Amino acid sequence: MIRGVVLDVDGTVVRGDEPLPGAVRGVRRLREAGLPLVFCSNNPTKGAAAYVDRLGRAGFETEPSEVVTAATATGAYLAEHHAGETAYLFGEESVREQLAEATDLQFCDDPAAASVVVAAIDYDFGYEDMRRAVGAVDDQTAFVGTDPDPVIPAPEGLVPGSGAIVNALAGVIGREPDAVPGKPSETALELVSDRLGTPSEDLLIVGDRLTTDIALGERAGATTALVTSGVTDRDDLADADQSPDYVVDSLPELLDSLAELETL
């Protein structure tokens, strides 16, 4: 039985600031069914309050406790594993502000002086950033990426995400991140399960990306649903390592299927 719902944001319920067809009605049906839900995004640039405003403008009523982002997960990971350390961020200032609020990390302006280097989406990232990383991040430096998404859906189409920055830095540093706390990590799973007060196997996890949303659900032993309104289409399933329980074009289509099976 499904006792809680995790909804991805971009490509699942909205594209840009506009709701996807039927998504507002779908979320309303979930609430009418009495199911607690969490919006879980791998975009680390906006905090919970900003997501409440953004989703509200698109027609979704929510509150900060119902929002988990890659920044939320990264802050939780850093607070647990790197409390009180010195950090350098390759990323947007909004990400730094969230991490500084969520942790007692001291952020510095030189990656060579940091014991932790964090990589996130950065709209001005370029060659100079990669040059600064070379030699500054050694085997003694913790390397953390906020999330693995190489691209994200935007109104104009797919655009680079945090994963593009993480991968670029990993290439010049010569090693993969020590942790990527956004979806589909154990940190992200614990956060959404705790917020919903629901065992992970009783969750329904809905999203548009196989390697994050559906992988998170498979980690949880949860019911998974892929919507084809974002970065993944049905042709991508043939060679995928993940096998969603449902593949649908929209959230309302999924809820109709679950209602027919009397699981919702």
Side-chain angles (χ1 to χ4, degrees):
M1 177 66 78
I2 294 168
R3 301 184 187 279
V5 182
V6 179
L7 293 173
D8 177 49
V9 179
D10 294 287
T12 299
V13 297
V14 297
R15 183 176 289 276
D17 290 327
E18 298 297 321
L20 286 166
V24 172
R25 177 167 54 89
V27 171
R28 189 178 302 122
R29 285 178 64 182
L30 290 170
R31 294 198 184 280
E32 290 171 352
L35 288 169
L37 62 86
V38 162
F39 293 96
C40 186
S41 172
N42 259 0
N43 184 341
T45 61
K46 295 179 176 63
Y51 264 97
V52 170
D53 291 342
R54 179 189 175 199
L55 289 167
R57 291 193 299 272
F60 302 94
E61 294 184 5
T62 188
E63 55 190 48
S65 63
E66 293 180 324
V67 176
V68 170
T69 71
T72 314
T74 302
Y77 175 86
L78 292 171
E80 179 179 356
H81 296 280
H82 297 285
E85 295 187 34
T86 302
Y88 181 87
L89 173 70
F90 290 95
E92 289 294 297
E93 181 60 28
S94 62
V95 180
R96 180 197 295 256
E97 291 171 355
Q98 292 179 75
L99 297 181
E101 183 177 350
T103 71
D104 62 355
L105 289 172
Q106 303 300 310
F107 284 89
C108 65
D109 296 325
D110 180 5
S115 60
V116 184
V117 165
V118 181
I121 192 167
D122 185 343
Y123 303 124
D124 295 319
F125 184 83
Y127 182 86
E128 180 61 22
D129 294 293
M130 291 188 287
R131 189 193 67 77
R132 296 185 74 196
V134 174
V137 183
D138 57 28
D139 290 342
Q140 304 305 310
T141 308
F143 176 29
V144 177
T146 55
D147 64 273
D149 294 7
V151 294
I152 52 177
E156 66 272 26
L158 297 179
V159 298
S162 297
I165 310 300
V166 176
N167 293 340
L169 289 172
V172 297
I173 292 170
R175 64 184 174 95
E176 294 301 307
D178 301 299
V180 182
K183 295 180 291 187
S185 76
E186 186 66 31
T187 300
L189 178 58
E190 289 177 358
L191 280 170
V192 296
S193 296
D194 289 347
R195 292 286 180 93
L196 293 168
T198 304
S200 59
E201 63 269 20
D202 293 337
L203 296 176
L204 167 65
I205 298 182
V206 186
D208 68 318
R209 195 184 298 267
L210 290 163
T211 55
T212 55
D213 302 306
I214 304 307
L216 179 72
E218 292 183 348
R219 175 189 290 275
T223 301
T224 59
L226 176 76
V227 291
T228 60
S229 49
V231 300
T232 307
D233 60 32
R234 294 174 189 270
D235 292 339
D236 295 323
L237 292 166
D239 299 319
D241 293 329
Q242 297 78 27
S243 300
D245 296 306
Y246 297 90
V247 180
V248 294
D249 295 326
S250 66
L251 183 58
E253 180 184 339
L254 169 65
L255 301 185
D256 287 343
S257 298
L258 292 172
E260 290 175 5
L261 295 172
E262 298 184 349
T263 59
L264 188 67

Coordinates of all heavy atoms in Angstrom, one line a residue, residues 159-252:
V159 N 19.1 22.0 -20.5 CA 20.3 22.9 -20.3 C 21.2 22.2 -19.3 O 20.8 21.3 -18.6 CB 19.8 24.3 -19.7 CG1 18.9 25.0 -20.7 CG2 19.1 24.1 -18.4
P160 N 22.5 22.6 -19.2 CA 23.4 21.9 -18.3 C 23.0 22.1 -16.9 O 22.5 23.2 -16.5 CB 24.8 22.6 -18.6 CG 24.6 23.2 -20.0 CD 23.2 23.6 -20.1
G161 N 23.2 21.0 -16.1 CA 22.9 21.1 -14.7 C 24.2 20.9 -13.8 O 25.3 21.0 -14.4
S162 N 24.0 20.6 -12.5 CA 25.2 20.5 -11.6 C 26.1 19.4 -12.1 O 27.3 19.5 -11.9 CB 24.7 20.2 -10.2 OG 23.9 21.2 -9.7
G163 N 25.5 18.3 -12.6 CA 26.4 17.2 -13.0 C 27.4 17.5 -14.1 O 28.5 16.9 -14.1
A164 N 27.1 18.5 -14.9 CA 28.1 19.0 -15.9 C 29.3 19.6 -15.2 O 30.4 19.4 -15.6 CB 27.4 20.0 -16.8
I165 N 29.1 20.3 -14.1 CA 30.1 21.0 -13.3 C 30.9 19.9 -12.6 O 32.2 19.8 -12.6 CB 29.6 22.0 -12.4 CG1 28.7 23.0 -13.1 CG2 30.7 22.7 -11.7 CD1 29.3 23.7 -14.2
V166 N 30.2 19.0 -11.9 CA 30.8 17.9 -11.2 C 31.7 17.1 -12.1 O 32.8 16.7 -11.7 CB 29.7 17.0 -10.5 CG1 30.4 15.8 -9.8 CG2 28.9 17.8 -9.5
N167 N 31.2 16.7 -13.2 CA 32.0 15.9 -14.2 C 33.2 16.6 -14.7 O 34.2 16.0 -14.9 CB 31.1 15.4 -15.3 CG 30.0 14.5 -14.9 OD1 30.0 13.9 -13.8 ND2 28.9 14.4 -15.7
A168 N 33.1 17.9 -15.0 CA 34.2 18.6 -15.5 C 35.3 18.7 -14.4 O 36.5 18.5 -14.7 CB 33.8 20.1 -15.8
L169 N 34.9 18.9 -13.2 CA 35.9 19.0 -12.1 C 36.5 17.6 -11.8 O 37.7 17.5 -11.6 CB 35.3 19.5 -10.8 CG 35.0 21.0 -10.9 CD1 34.2 21.4 -9.6 CD2 36.2 21.9 -11.0
A170 N 35.7 16.6 -11.9 CA 36.2 15.2 -11.7 C 37.2 14.9 -12.7 O 38.2 14.2 -12.5 CB 35.0 14.2 -11.7
G171 N 37.0 15.4 -14.0 CA 38.0 15.1 -15.0 C 39.3 15.7 -14.8 O 40.3 15.0 -15.0
V172 N 39.3 17.0 -14.3 CA 40.6 17.6 -14.2 C 41.3 17.2 -12.8 O 42.5 17.2 -12.7 CB 40.5 19.1 -14.3 CG1 40.1 19.5 -15.7 CG2 39.6 19.7 -13.2
I173 N 40.5 16.9 -11.8 CA 41.0 16.5 -10.5 C 41.6 15.0 -10.6 O 42.5 14.7 -10.0 CB 39.9 16.6 -9.4 CG1 39.6 18.0 -9.2 CG2 40.4 15.9 -8.1 CD1 38.3 18.2 -8.3
G174 N 40.9 14.2 -11.4 CA 41.4 12.9 -11.6 C 40.7 11.9 -10.7 O 41.2 10.8 -10.6
R175 N 39.6 12.2 -10.1 CA 38.8 11.2 -9.3 C 37.4 11.6 -9.2 O 37.0 12.8 -9.4 CB 39.5 11.1 -7.9 CG 39.4 12.3 -7.1 CD 40.2 12.1 -5.8 NE 40.3 13.2 -4.9 CZ 39.5 13.6 -3.9 NH1 38.5 12.8 -3.6 NH2 39.7 14.6 -3.2
E176 N 36.6 10.7 -8.9 CA 35.1 10.9 -8.8 C 34.8 11.5 -7.4 O 35.7 11.4 -6.5 CB 34.4 9.6 -8.9 CG 34.5 9.0 -10.3 CD 33.9 9.9 -11.4 OE1 32.8 10.4 -11.2 OE2 34.6 10.2 -12.3
P177 N 33.7 12.2 -7.2 CA 33.3 12.7 -5.9 C 33.3 11.7 -4.9 O 32.9 10.5 -5.1 CB 32.0 13.4 -6.2 CG 31.8 13.5 -7.6 CD 32.7 12.4 -8.3
D178 N 33.6 12.1 -3.6 CA 33.4 11.2 -2.5 C 32.0 11.0 -2.2 O 31.6 9.9 -1.6 CB 34.2 11.7 -1.3 CG 35.7 12.0 -1.6 OD1 36.3 11.0 -1.9 OD2 36.1 13.1 -1.5
A179 N 31.2 11.9 -2.5 CA 29.7 11.8 -2.2 C 29.0 12.8 -3.1 O 29.5 13.9 -3.5 CB 29.4 12.2 -0.7
V180 N 27.7 12.3 -3.5 CA 26.8 13.2 -4.3 C 25.5 13.0 -3.6 O 24.7 12.1 -3.9 CB 26.7 12.7 -5.7 CG1 25.8 13.7 -6.5 CG2 28.1 12.7 -6.4
P181 N 25.2 13.9 -2.6 CA 24.0 13.7 -1.7 C 22.6 13.9 -2.3 O 21.6 13.5 -1.7 CB 24.2 14.7 -0.6 CG 25.7 15.0 -0.6 CD 26.0 15.0 -2.1
G182 N 22.5 14.5 -3.5 CA 21.2 14.6 -4.2 C 20.7 13.2 -4.6 O 21.4 12.2 -4.4
K183 N 19.5 13.2 -5.1 CA 19.0 11.9 -5.6 C 19.9 11.2 -6.6 O 20.6 11.9 -7.4 CB 17.7 12.2 -6.4 CG 16.5 12.7 -5.6 CD 15.3 12.9 -6.4 CE 15.4 14.0 -7.4 NZ 14.1 14.3 -8.1
P184 N 20.2 9.9 -6.5 CA 19.4 8.9 -5.7 C 20.1 8.4 -4.4 O 20.1 7.3 -4.1 CB 19.4 7.8 -6.7 CG 20.7 7.8 -7.4 CD 21.1 9.3 -7.5
S185 N 20.8 9.3 -3.7 CA 21.7 8.9 -2.6 C 20.8 8.4 -1.4 O 19.6 8.7 -1.3 CB 22.6 10.1 -2.2 OG 21.8 11.0 -1.4
E186 N 21.5 7.7 -0.5 CA 20.9 7.3 0.7 C 20.5 8.5 1.6 O 19.5 8.5 2.3 CB 21.9 6.4 1.5 CG 21.3 5.8 2.8 CD 20.2 4.8 2.5 OE1 20.2 4.1 1.4 OE2 19.3 4.7 3.3
T187 N 21.3 9.6 1.5 CA 21.0 10.8 2.3 C 19.6 11.4 1.8 O 18.8 11.7 2.6 CB 22.1 11.9 2.1 OG1 23.3 11.3 2.5 CG2 21.7 13.1 2.8
A188 N 19.4 11.4 0.5 CA 18.2 12.0 0.0 C 17.0 11.1 0.3 O 15.9 11.6 0.7 CB 18.3 12.1 -1.6
L189 N 17.2 9.8 0.3 CA 16.2 8.8 0.6 C 15.8 9.0 2.1 O 14.6 9.0 2.4 CB 16.6 7.4 0.4 CG 15.6 6.3 0.7 CD1 14.3 6.5 0.0 CD2 16.2 4.9 0.4
E190 N 16.7 9.1 3.0 CA 16.4 9.2 4.4 C 15.7 10.5 4.7 O 14.7 10.6 5.5 CB 17.7 9.2 5.2 CG 18.4 7.9 5.3 CD 19.7 7.9 6.0 OE1 20.2 9.0 6.4 OE2 20.3 6.8 6.2
L191 N 16.0 11.6 4.0 CA 15.4 12.9 4.1 C 13.9 12.8 3.8 O 13.0 13.2 4.5 CB 16.1 14.0 3.3 CG 17.3 14.6 3.9 CD1 18.0 15.5 2.9 CD2 17.0 15.4 5.2
V192 N 13.6 12.2 2.6 CA 12.2 12.2 2.2 C 11.4 11.2 3.0 O 10.2 11.5 3.3 CB 12.1 11.9 0.7 CG1 12.7 13.0 -0.2 CG2 12.7 10.5 0.3
S193 N 12.0 10.1 3.4 CA 11.3 9.2 4.3 C 11.0 9.8 5.6 O 9.9 9.7 6.2 CB 12.1 7.9 4.5 OG 12.3 7.2 3.3
D194 N 11.9 10.5 6.2 CA 11.7 11.2 7.5 C 10.7 12.3 7.4 O 9.8 12.4 8.3 CB 13.0 11.8 8.0 CG 14.0 10.8 8.4 OD1 13.6 9.6 8.6 OD2 15.2 11.1 8.6
R195 N 10.7 13.1 6.3 CA 9.7 14.1 6.1 C 8.3 13.6 6.0 O 7.3 14.1 6.6 CB 10.0 14.9 4.8 CG 11.3 15.7 4.9 CD 11.2 17.0 5.8 NE 12.4 17.7 5.8 CZ 12.7 18.7 5.0 NH1 11.8 19.1 4.0 NH2 13.8 19.4 5.0
L196 N 8.2 12.4 5.4 CA 6.8 11.8 5.2 C 6.4 10.9 6.4 O 5.3 10.6 6.5 CB 6.8 11.0 3.9 CG 7.0 11.8 2.6 CD1 7.2 10.9 1.4 CD2 5.7 12.6 2.4
G197 N 7.4 10.6 7.2 CA 7.1 9.7 8.3 C 6.6 8.3 7.8 O 5.8 7.7 8.5
T198 N 7.2 7.9 6.7 CA 6.8 6.6 6.1 C 7.9 5.7 5.8 O 9.0 6.2 5.3 CB 6.1 7.0 4.7 OG1 5.0 7.9 5.0 CG2 5.5 5.8 4.0
P199 N 7.8 4.4 6.0 CA 8.9 3.5 5.6 C 9.1 3.7 4.1 O 8.2 3.8 3.3 CB 8.4 2.1 5.9 CG 7.4 2.4 7.0 CD 6.7 3.7 6.7
S200 N 10.4 3.6 3.7 CA 10.7 3.8 2.3 C 10.0 2.9 1.3 O 9.6 3.3 0.2 CB 12.2 3.8 2.1 OG 12.7 2.5 2.4
E201 N 9.8 1.7 1.7 CA 9.1 0.7 0.8 C 7.6 1.0 0.6 O 7.0 0.4 -0.3 CB 9.3 -0.7 1.4 CG 8.6 -1.0 2.7 CD 9.5 -0.7 3.9 OE1 10.5 0.0 3.7 OE2 9.2 -1.3 5.0
D202 N 7.1 1.9 1.4 CA 5.7 2.3 1.2 C 5.5 3.6 0.4 O 4.4 4.2 0.4 CB 5.0 2.5 2.6 CG 4.9 1.1 3.4 OD1 4.9 0.1 2.7 OD2 4.8 1.2 4.6
L203 N 6.6 4.0 -0.2 CA 6.5 5.3 -1.0 C 6.2 5.0 -2.4 O 6.5 3.9 -3.0 CB 7.9 6.0 -0.9 CG 8.3 6.5 0.5 CD1 9.7 7.1 0.3 CD2 7.4 7.5 1.0
L204 N 5.6 6.0 -3.0 CA 5.5 6.1 -4.5 C 6.4 7.2 -4.9 O 6.3 8.4 -4.5 CB 4.0 6.4 -4.9 CG 3.8 6.9 -6.4 CD1 4.2 5.7 -7.3 CD2 2.4 7.4 -6.6
I205 N 7.4 6.9 -5.8 CA 8.3 7.9 -6.2 C 8.2 8.1 -7.7 O 8.2 7.2 -8.5 CB 9.8 7.5 -5.9 CG1 9.9 7.3 -4.4 CG2 10.8 8.4 -6.5 CD1 11.3 6.9 -3.9
V206 N 7.9 9.4 -8.1 CA 7.5 9.8 -9.4 C 8.5 10.8 -9.9 O 8.8 11.8 -9.3 CB 6.1 10.4 -9.5 CG1 5.7 10.7 -10.9 CG2 5.1 9.6 -8.7
G207 N 9.1 10.5 -11.1 CA 10.0 11.5 -11.7 C 10.2 11.2 -13.2 O 9.7 10.2 -13.7
D208 N 11.0 12.1 -13.8 CA 11.3 12.0 -15.2 C 12.6 11.5 -15.6 O 13.0 11.4 -16.8 CB 11.1 13.3 -15.9 CG 12.1 14.3 -15.5 OD1 12.5 14.4 -14.3 OD2 12.6 15.1 -16.3
R209 N 13.4 11.1 -14.6 CA 14.8 10.6 -14.8 C 15.1 9.3 -14.3 O 14.9 9.0 -13.1 CB 15.8 11.7 -14.3 CG 17.2 11.5 -14.8 CD 18.2 12.5 -14.1 NE 17.8 13.9 -14.3 CZ 18.3 14.6 -15.3 NH1 19.2 14.1 -16.2 NH2 18.0 15.9 -15.4
L210 N 15.5 8.3 -15.1 CA 15.8 7.0 -14.6 C 16.9 6.9 -13.6 O 16.7 6.2 -12.6 CB 16.1 6.1 -15.8 CG 15.0 5.8 -16.8 CD1 15.6 5.3 -18.1 CD2 14.0 4.8 -16.2
T211 N 18.0 7.6 -13.8 CA 19.2 7.4 -13.0 C 19.1 8.1 -11.7 O 20.0 7.9 -10.8 CB 20.4 7.9 -13.8 OG1 20.2 9.3 -14.2 CG2 20.7 7.0 -15.0
T212 N 18.1 9.0 -11.5 CA 17.9 9.6 -10.2 C 16.6 9.3 -9.5 O 16.6 8.6 -8.5 CB 18.1 11.2 -10.3 OG1 17.1 11.7 -11.3 CG2 19.5 11.5 -10.7
D213 N 15.5 9.6 -10.1 CA 14.2 9.4 -9.5 C 13.9 7.9 -9.4 O 13.5 7.4 -8.3 CB 13.1 10.1 -10.4 CG 13.3 11.6 -10.5 OD1 13.5 12.2 -9.5 OD2 13.4 12.1 -11.7
I214 N 14.0 7.2 -10.5 CA 13.7 5.8 -10.5 C 14.7 5.0 -9.7 O 14.4 4.1 -8.9 CB 13.5 5.2 -11.9 CG1 12.5 6.0 -12.7 CG2 13.1 3.7 -11.9 CD1 11.1 6.2 -12.0
A215 N 16.0 5.4 -9.8 CA 17.0 4.7 -9.0 C 16.8 5.0 -7.5 O 17.1 4.1 -6.7 CB 18.4 5.3 -9.4
L216 N 16.3 6.1 -7.2 CA 16.0 6.4 -5.8 C 14.9 5.5 -5.3 O 15.0 4.9 -4.2 CB 15.5 7.9 -5.6 CG 15.2 8.3 -4.2 CD1 16.4 8.4 -3.3 CD2 14.4 9.6 -4.2
G217 N 13.9 5.3 -6.1 CA 12.8 4.4 -5.7 C 13.2 3.0 -5.6 O 12.8 2.2 -4.7
E218 N 14.1 2.5 -6.5 CA 14.6 1.2 -6.5 C 15.5 1.0 -5.2 O 15.5 -0.1 -4.6 CB 15.4 0.8 -7.7 CG 14.4 0.7 -8.9 CD 15.1 0.3 -10.2 OE1 16.3 0.3 -10.3 OE2 14.3 0.0 -11.2
R219 N 16.3 2.0 -4.9 CA 17.0 1.9 -3.6 C 16.1 1.7 -2.4 O 16.4 1.0 -1.5 CB 17.9 3.2 -3.4 CG 18.6 3.3 -2.1 CD 19.2 4.6 -1.9 NE 20.3 4.9 -2.8 CZ 21.6 4.6 -2.6 NH1 21.9 3.9 -1.5 NH2 22.6 4.8 -3.5
A220 N 15.0 2.4 -2.5 CA 14.0 2.3 -1.4 C 13.2 1.1 -1.3 O 12.5 0.8 -0.3 CB 13.1 3.6 -1.4
G221 N 13.1 0.4 -2.5 CA 12.2 -0.7 -2.6 C 10.7 -0.2 -2.7 O 9.8 -0.9 -2.4
A222 N 10.6 1.0 -3.3 CA 9.3 1.7 -3.4 C 8.7 1.4 -4.7 O 9.3 0.8 -5.6 CB 9.5 3.2 -3.2
T223 N 7.4 1.8 -4.9 CA 6.8 1.8 -6.2 C 7.3 3.0 -7.0 O 7.4 4.1 -6.5 CB 5.3 2.0 -6.0 OG1 4.8 0.9 -5.2 CG2 4.6 2.0 -7.3
T224 N 7.7 2.8 -8.2 CA 8.3 3.8 -9.0 C 7.5 4.1 -10.3 O 6.9 3.2 -10.9 CB 9.7 3.4 -9.5 OG1 9.7 2.2 -10.2 CG2 10.6 3.3 -8.2
A225 N 7.5 5.4 -10.7 CA 6.7 5.8 -11.9 C 7.6 6.8 -12.7 O 8.0 7.8 -12.1 CB 5.4 6.4 -11.6
L226 N 7.8 6.5 -13.9 CA 8.5 7.4 -14.8 C 7.5 8.1 -15.7 O 6.6 7.5 -16.3 CB 9.4 6.6 -15.8 CG 10.2 7.4 -16.8 CD1 11.3 8.2 -16.2 CD2 10.7 6.6 -18.0
V227 N 7.6 9.5 -15.6 CA 6.8 10.3 -16.5 C 7.6 10.7 -17.7 O 8.8 11.1 -17.5 CB 6.1 11.5 -15.8 CG1 5.1 11.1 -14.8 CG2 7.2 12.3 -15.1
T228 N 7.1 10.7 -18.9 CA 7.9 11.0 -20.1 C 7.8 12.4 -20.5 O 8.1 12.8 -21.6 CB 7.4 10.1 -21.3 OG1 6.0 10.4 -21.5 CG2 7.6 8.6 -21.0
S229 N 7.4 13.3 -19.5 CA 7.3 14.7 -19.8 C 8.5 15.5 -19.6 O 8.5 16.8 -19.8 CB 6.1 15.3 -18.9 OG 6.3 14.9 -17.6
G230 N 9.6 14.9 -19.2 CA 10.9 15.6 -19.0 C 12.0 15.1 -19.8 O 12.0 15.2 -21.1
V231 N 13.1 14.5 -19.2 CA 14.3 14.2 -19.9 C 14.3 12.8 -20.5 O 15.2 12.5 -21.3 CB 15.6 14.4 -19.0 CG1 15.7 15.8 -18.5 CG2 15.5 13.4 -17.9
T232 N 13.4 12.0 -20.2 CA 13.4 10.6 -20.6 C 12.2 10.2 -21.4 O 11.1 10.7 -21.1 CB 13.4 9.7 -19.3 OG1 14.5 10.0 -18.5 CG2 13.6 8.2 -19.7
D233 N 12.4 9.5 -22.5 CA 11.2 9.0 -23.2 C 11.2 7.5 -23.2 O 12.2 6.8 -22.7 CB 11.2 9.5 -24.7 CG 12.4 9.2 -25.5 OD1 13.0 8.1 -25.3 OD2 12.8 10.0 -26.4
R234 N 10.3 6.9 -23.8 CA 10.1 5.4 -23.8 C 11.3 4.7 -24.4 O 11.6 3.6 -24.1 CB 8.8 5.0 -24.3 CG 7.6 5.5 -23.5 CD 6.2 5.2 -24.2 NE 5.1 5.9 -23.5 CZ 4.4 5.4 -22.5 NH1 4.7 4.1 -22.1 NH2 3.5 6.0 -21.9
D235 N 11.8 5.3 -25.5 CA 13.0 4.6 -26.2 C 14.2 4.4 -25.3 O 15.0 3.5 -25.5 CB 13.3 5.4 -27.4 CG 12.3 5.4 -28.5 OD1 11.4 4.5 -28.5 OD2 12.3 6.3 -29.3
D236 N 14.3 5.3 -24.2 CA 15.4 5.2 -23.3 C 15.4 4.0 -22.4 O 16.4 3.6 -21.8 CB 15.5 6.5 -22.5 CG 15.8 7.7 -23.3 OD1 16.5 7.6 -24.3 OD2 15.2 8.8 -23.0
L237 N 14.2 3.4 -22.3 CA 14.1 2.3 -21.4 C 14.8 1.0 -21.9 O 15.2 0.2 -21.0 CB 12.6 2.0 -21.2 CG 11.8 3.0 -20.5 CD1 10.3 2.8 -20.6 CD2 12.2 3.0 -19.0
A238 N 15.0 0.9 -23.2 CA 15.5 -0.4 -23.7 C 16.9 -0.7 -23.1 O 17.2 -1.9 -22.8 CB 15.6 -0.3 -25.2
D239 N 17.7 0.3 -23.0 CA 19.1 0.0 -22.5 C 19.3 0.5 -21.1 O 20.5 0.6 -20.6 CB 20.1 0.8 -23.4 CG 20.0 0.3 -24.9 OD1 19.9 -1.0 -25.0 OD2 20.1 1.1 -25.8
A240 N 18.3 0.8 -20.3 CA 18.4 1.3 -19.0 C 18.6 0.2 -17.9 O 18.2 -0.9 -18.1 CB 17.1 2.1 -18.6
D241 N 19.3 0.6 -16.9 CA 19.6 -0.3 -15.8 C 18.4 -0.3 -14.8 O 18.2 -1.2 -14.0 CB 20.8 0.1 -15.0 CG 22.1 -0.1 -15.8 OD1 22.1 -1.0 -16.6 OD2 23.0 0.7 -15.6
Q242 N 17.5 0.7 -14.9 CA 16.4 0.8 -14.1 C 15.1 0.4 -14.8 O 15.0 0.5 -16.0 CB 16.2 2.3 -13.6 CG 17.3 2.8 -12.7 CD 18.5 3.2 -13.6 OE1 18.4 3.6 -14.7 NE2 19.7 3.2 -13.0
S243 N 14.1 -0.2 -14.0 CA 12.9 -0.7 -14.6 C 11.7 -0.1 -13.7 O 11.3 -0.7 -12.7 CB 12.8 -2.2 -14.6 OG 13.9 -2.8 -15.3
P244 N 11.2 1.0 -14.1 CA 10.1 1.6 -13.4 C 8.8 0.7 -13.4 O 8.6 0.0 -14.4 CB 9.8 2.9 -14.1 CG 10.4 2.8 -15.4 CD 11.6 1.9 -15.3
D245 N 8.1 0.8 -12.3 CA 6.9 0.0 -12.2 C 5.8 0.5 -13.2 O 5.0 -0.3 -13.7 CB 6.3 0.0 -10.8 CG 7.2 -0.7 -9.8 OD1 7.6 -1.8 -10.0 OD2 7.6 0.0 -8.8
Y246 N 5.8 1.8 -13.4 CA 4.9 2.4 -14.3 C 5.6 3.4 -15.3 O 6.6 4.0 -14.8 CB 3.8 3.2 -13.6 CG 2.9 2.4 -12.7 CD1 3.3 2.2 -11.3 CD2 1.7 1.8 -13.1 CE1 2.5 1.4 -10.5 CE2 1.0 1.1 -12.3 CZ 1.3 0.8 -11.0 OH 0.6 0.1 -10.2
V247 N 5.2 3.5 -16.5 CA 5.7 4.4 -17.5 C 4.5 5.1 -18.0 O 3.6 4.5 -18.7 CB 6.5 3.8 -18.6 CG1 7.0 4.9 -19.5 CG2 7.7 3.0 -18.0
V248 N 4.4 6.4 -17.8 CA 3.2 7.2 -18.2 C 3.6 8.5 -18.8 O 4.8 9.0 -18.6 CB 2.3 7.5 -17.0 CG1 1.7 6.1 -16.4 CG2 3.0 8.2 -15.9
D249 N 2.7 9.2 -19.4 CA 3.0 10.5 -20.0 C 2.7 11.6 -19.1 O 3.2 12.7 -19.4 CB 2.1 10.7 -21.3 CG 2.5 9.7 -22.4 OD1 3.7 9.3 -22.5 OD2 1.7 9.2 -23.2
S250 N 1.9 11.4 -18.0 CA 1.6 12.5 -17.1 C 1.2 11.9 -15.8 O 0.9 10.7 -15.6 CB 0.4 13.3 -17.7 OG -0.8 12.5 -17.7
L251 N 1.2 12.8 -14.8 CA 0.8 12.4 -13.4 C -0.7 11.9 -13.4 O -1.0 10.9 -12.7 CB 1.0 13.6 -12.5 CG 0.7 13.4 -11.0 CD1 1.5 12.2 -10.4 CD2 1.0 14.6 -10.2
P252 N -1.6 12.6 -14.0 CA -3.0 12.1 -14.0 C -3.1 10.7 -14.6 O -3.9 9.9 -14.1 CB -3.8 13.1 -14.8 CG -3.0 14.4 -14.7 CD -1.6 14.0 -14.7

